[in-house]
Amino acid sequence: MSFSIFNSLVLFLVLHFSLIEIACDSAEEVHALLKWKTSLQNPSQPPFSSPCAWSGISCNHAGSVVSINLTGSNLKGTLQEFPFLLFPQLAYLDLSVNKLFGTIPTQISHLSKLKHLDFSTNQFSGIIPPQIGILTNLVVLRLSIALSYNRLNGSIPASLGNLSNLVQLSLSNNSLSGQIPPNWGYLTSLVELRLDNNYLTGLIPPSFQNLRKLTVHVQ
């Protein structure tokens, strides 16, 4: 066997098994997404075998899901069956303007590549998981709830002060209480901060003088 033929064979085998691996990953993601959609109160199963062909879902060149945008899709249910662990490449997650309820699962911390997270205008309840503070790539975090629902409660996790890349942070129209974490002075990339219509107490932390890029501040 000549060297060139051998190289061609090796290349074929590498591509072949890579495609098999991608297909397996895709099948796993399909199964997981369909399982979550089945758990919703108004499921509608897409007819395609790959999630990359579904409306609102985008993939990278390797076939991994990197963006899920289902805003305004009339979803009703919880995130308890959402397969957070199976989307290590997910960078964009927008489930805003739906009818999702229940708590925000702590497993959201598995989305380590996440840059954009928008759960606004839903009916989530309970506390803000401190595990969100692990998602240090976040640039946008919106957990604002429609005023008529007023669901998320408890104190604001100090761990959100770890999100040094945040540009937009919106927690308005909830039932959050207590003080603004003093370590938010480390959020030096912050341009927009919305905390209005909550039950926050105390003074604005002195460390806020470090937020020199802040132009929108609603408290």
Side-chain angles (χ1 to χ4, degrees):
M1 181 181 297
S2 69
F3 183 73
S4 59
I5 296 176
F6 176 76
N7 281 349
S8 298
L9 179 59
V10 170
L11 179 60
F12 169 77
L13 290 174
V14 168
L15 291 174
H16 176 71
F17 286 111
S18 295
L19 288 173
I20 290 177
E21 183 178 358
I22 290 172
C24 291
D25 290 343
S26 179
E28 191 174 21
E29 290 175 345
V30 168
H31 176 75
L33 282 173
L34 287 177
K35 183 179 179 181
W36 174 57
K37 289 187 72 66
T38 301
S39 74
L40 300 177
Q41 295 181 11
N42 53 347
S44 58
Q45 296 188 4
F48 305 107
S49 59
S50 170
C52 303
W54 298 1
S55 177
I57 295 183
S58 300
C59 300
N60 60 17
H61 66 279
S64 296
V65 175
V66 295
S67 174
I68 298 177
N69 185 353
L70 298 176
T71 181
S73 297
N74 198 33
L75 302 178
K76 186 175 183 180
T78 74
L79 293 180
Q80 301 310 310
E81 297 291 338
F82 190 88
F84 294 102
L85 190 59
L86 294 182
F87 296 108
Q89 303 302 319
L90 193 65
Y92 188 102
L93 179 58
D94 189 340
L95 301 178
S96 62
V97 196
N98 282 293
K99 300 176 183 178
L100 298 173
F101 56 89
T103 58
I104 299 174
T106 58
Q107 290 85 352
I108 198 169
S109 62
H110 292 298
L111 304 180
S112 60
K113 300 288 183 66
L114 203 62
K115 294 182 178 181
H116 183 109
L117 177 60
D118 192 342
F119 286 168
S120 60
T121 314
N122 278 287
Q123 302 173 30
F124 290 112
S125 59
I127 65 170
I128 298 174
Q131 289 80 2
I132 289 181
I134 298 175
L135 306 178
T136 54
N137 289 311
L138 276 177
V139 175
V140 173
L141 175 58
R142 297 187 185 125
L143 302 179
S144 301
I145 310 301
L147 186 59
S148 58
Y149 298 125
N150 218 19
R151 301 284 184 169
L152 293 175
N153 55 49
S155 59
I156 299 174
S159 61
L160 297 189
N162 298 328
L163 306 178
S164 59
N165 291 309
L166 272 185
V167 173
Q168 297 181 29
L169 173 58
S170 181
L171 305 177
S172 57
N173 299 328
N174 282 289
S175 294
L176 300 172
S177 58
Q179 298 184 342
I180 300 173
N183 65 346
W184 278 18
Y186 295 110
L187 303 179
T188 54
S189 298
L190 207 58
V191 173
E192 179 178 332
L193 174 62
R194 296 182 181 274
L195 300 173
D196 50 303
N197 294 319
N198 281 290
Y199 300 101
L200 300 174
T201 57
L203 301 175
I204 295 176
S207 61
F208 267 43
Q209 65 183 347
N210 299 326
L211 307 182
R212 302 186 184 279
K213 296 181 180 179
L214 197 63
T215 57
V216 179
H217 178 203
V218 182
Q219 182 181 358

